[in-house]
Amino acid sequence: MDLGLSGRSALVTAASRGLGRACAEALIGEGANVFISSRDEASIASTAKQIKAAGWLAADVSKPGEPEALVEAATTRLRGLDVLVVNAGGPPPGTFQTTPIEQWEVAFELTLMSAVRLIRAGLPHLKRSDQGRIVCITSISVRQPIPNIALSNAMRAAVTGLAKTLSRELAPDRITVNCLAPDSILTDRIRQIAAASGTDPDERVKEMAAHAPMGRLGDPAEFGAACAFLCSKQAGYISGQTIGVDGGALLGVH
Ligand code: NAD
């Protein structure tokens, strides 16, 4: 199937590895010109070379001013923008009672305000596209809060509300706005969680896979493919949705 992404301009944030990188690779595989960014200059430069990105910039999306400068650099390089994939690292773990109050401000900037700033800056460009697409990477936690990640549970729900609001507001501009909600996709984040468990990380990953409904963890490429589809011309009538990429892990019906 030709997804109508050839020659399209895309910006993917937090893309040096993991799910962001997988989205960038899938879009590049469909012929899109993709600009990528993440915090660390050496990692993003190296990933850009490996995946043949159209451009890159080191940017911390949690710092006011950096998302705006990133969009400016990307749209100048790409001469416009059709696709914006909003991603950032997850906020630190902890229960509500163990989370210091200052961490709420940090998570607010990292998870919610990064999306607000990126989308605000990207909108004038996306409005000029005839295939405008916004995809926010959230988590299964927006439907099934996960114990011990209070900040993520709260802030990703806010991103979901933002995306739903925007889907109606931007419908007249033919811009679709959707969220992808991953669970247990084998990236460095999952490896780090395994390493922090106190048991052998490889054994912990095997254990996580054994407990997953499909008896395995997700492949980042499967997540990237879902992202490419949401950005396709065929997905033009899908908006305001949260699509789970979780191997059937969600227990609820919605
Ligand atoms: P990862 O740790 O493998 O990669 C995170 C990427 O984000 C890296 O490129 C890192 O450099 C970048 N990054 C982190 N903070 C940033 C910042 N402030 N500014 C710019 N770049 C930043 O993680 P992942 O597994 O790819 O997850 C991506 C997102 O999806 C995270 O928010 C994670 O919490 C969420 N998530 C992942 C899963 C999963 O199964 N992997 C499940 C639920 C939620």
Side-chain angles (χ1 to χ4, degrees):
M1 182 160 55
D2 174 4
L3 298 185
L5 285 165
S6 183
R8 295 285 175 181
S9 300
L11 168 61
V12 184
T13 64
S16 66
R17 58 174 201 245
L19 303 182
R21 174 180 170 144
C23 292
E25 281 191 277
L27 293 167
I28 291 168
E30 293 300 321
N33 300 316
V34 182
F35 195 101
I36 61 171
S37 96
S38 77
R39 284 169 307 180
D40 180 63
E41 188 158 330
S43 326
I44 198 67
S46 154
T47 298
K49 200 170 165 193
Q50 286 165 31
I51 70 173
K52 298 190 172 54
W56 62 270
L57 185 72
D60 183 336
V61 292
S62 72
K63 296 205 170 126
E66 299 207 14
E68 293 83 351
L70 170 60
V71 170
E72 173 71 27
T75 51
T76 303
R77 174 83 183 83
L78 301 170
R79 297 203 182 104
L81 194 66
D82 301 295
V83 169
L84 174 60
V85 180
V86 175
N87 185 31
T95 64
F96 178 80
Q97 295 175 86
T98 59
T99 301
I101 191 77
E102 311 78 53
Q103 285 294 332
W104 283 91
E105 295 288 345
V106 174
F108 172 71
E109 288 294 343
L110 175 67
T111 306
L112 178 60
M113 288 312 293
S114 63
V116 169
R117 293 182 208 285
L118 286 163
I119 295 168
R120 274 177 69 94
L123 262 188
H125 306 279
L126 291 164
K127 281 186 177 182
R128 284 195 286 273
S129 170
D130 62 354
Q131 194 174 312
R133 303 282 184 262
I134 300 172
V135 176
C136 299
I137 299 181
T138 59
S139 169
I140 192 174
S141 69
V142 301
R143 288 170 167 149
Q144 188 172 287
I146 299 171
N148 205 39
I149 54 167
L151 291 172
S152 175
N153 292 340
M155 293 301 167
R156 292 190 198 283
V159 173
T160 308
L162 169 71
K164 189 73 181 171
T165 304
L166 283 170
S167 69
R168 287 300 291 265
E169 195 171 321
L170 301 180
D173 297 295
R174 302 173 316 278
I175 299 171
T176 69
V177 190
N178 292 291
C179 297
L180 277 174
D183 184 52
S184 300
I185 308 213
L186 188 51
T187 63
D188 284 355
R189 178 166 169 87
I190 299 294
R191 289 188 193 93
Q192 279 159 10
I193 292 169
S197 69
T199 53
D200 176 60
D202 291 338
E203 282 309 311
R204 181 73 194 111
V205 166
K206 276 191 202 152
E207 224 174 85
M208 287 165 84
H211 283 101
M214 292 185 179
R216 70 172 179 92
L217 298 180
D219 181 340
E222 294 172 303
F223 188 88
C227 179
F229 179 71
L230 281 181
C231 298
S232 70
K233 71 170 181 289
Q234 288 87 345
Y237 209 55
I238 301 175
S239 197
Q241 304 305 308
T242 288
I243 313 283
V245 185
D246 61 14
L250 181 74
L251 293 173
V253 289
H254 294 296

